[in-house]
Amino acid sequence: SNIWRHSRATQAELEVSYLPEELQVIIHDNGRGFVFQDTLEAAHDSQSSLGLIGMRERASLIGATLTIHSSIGKGCKIELILPITPPCPSNDRNH
């Protein structure tokens, strides 16, 4: 929804990769881009920066990292990396 509301992009891509040790989600657009202020103090006057900081905080709650790359006129790229813990062996003694 941020791409639709803020970027003025004509194209956006979503790439999801399920790897043995992590899930990667990459979103990239060709929009107008921005300078991301990665602190609450710097973002205080910008609703979009607060939204991006909120995205990073929600990613952290599930053990993921969220990285934001953007610059004016060059679009935006957001990368989410979620480590995957291998499943525990079954404790079922019947098998």
Side-chain angles (χ1 to χ4, degrees):
S1 66
N2 282 346
I3 293 171
W4 177 258
R5 279 187 252 158
H6 304 292
S7 76
R8 298 185 187 151
T10 58
Q11 293 182 340
E13 297 177 13
L14 171 68
E15 178 184 337
V16 179
S17 301
Y18 184 77
L19 304 172
E21 296 181 3
E22 64 189 23
L23 174 70
Q24 297 178 348
V25 179
I26 299 172
I27 303 167
H28 183 265
D29 70 52
N30 69 345
R32 63 185 177 157
F34 55 91
V35 175
F36 177 58
Q37 302 297 320
D38 196 13
T39 65
L40 286 175
E41 294 81 17
H44 181 70
D45 295 327
S46 173
Q47 280 300 111
S48 61
S49 290
L50 287 174
L52 292 168
I53 290 170
M55 288 170 51
R56 183 173 285 157
E57 289 173 351
R58 289 188 300 275
S60 177
L61 289 173
I62 63 169
T65 57
L66 187 91
T67 307
I68 301 163
H69 307 277
S70 187
S71 59
I72 301 297
K74 303 215 180 210
C76 179
K77 180 179 181 181
I78 297 178
E79 298 175 279
L80 176 88
I81 307 293
L82 176 63
I84 298 173
T85 305
C88 295
S90 173
N91 289 331
D92 187 357
R93 296 180 184 176
N94 295 325
H95 292 97

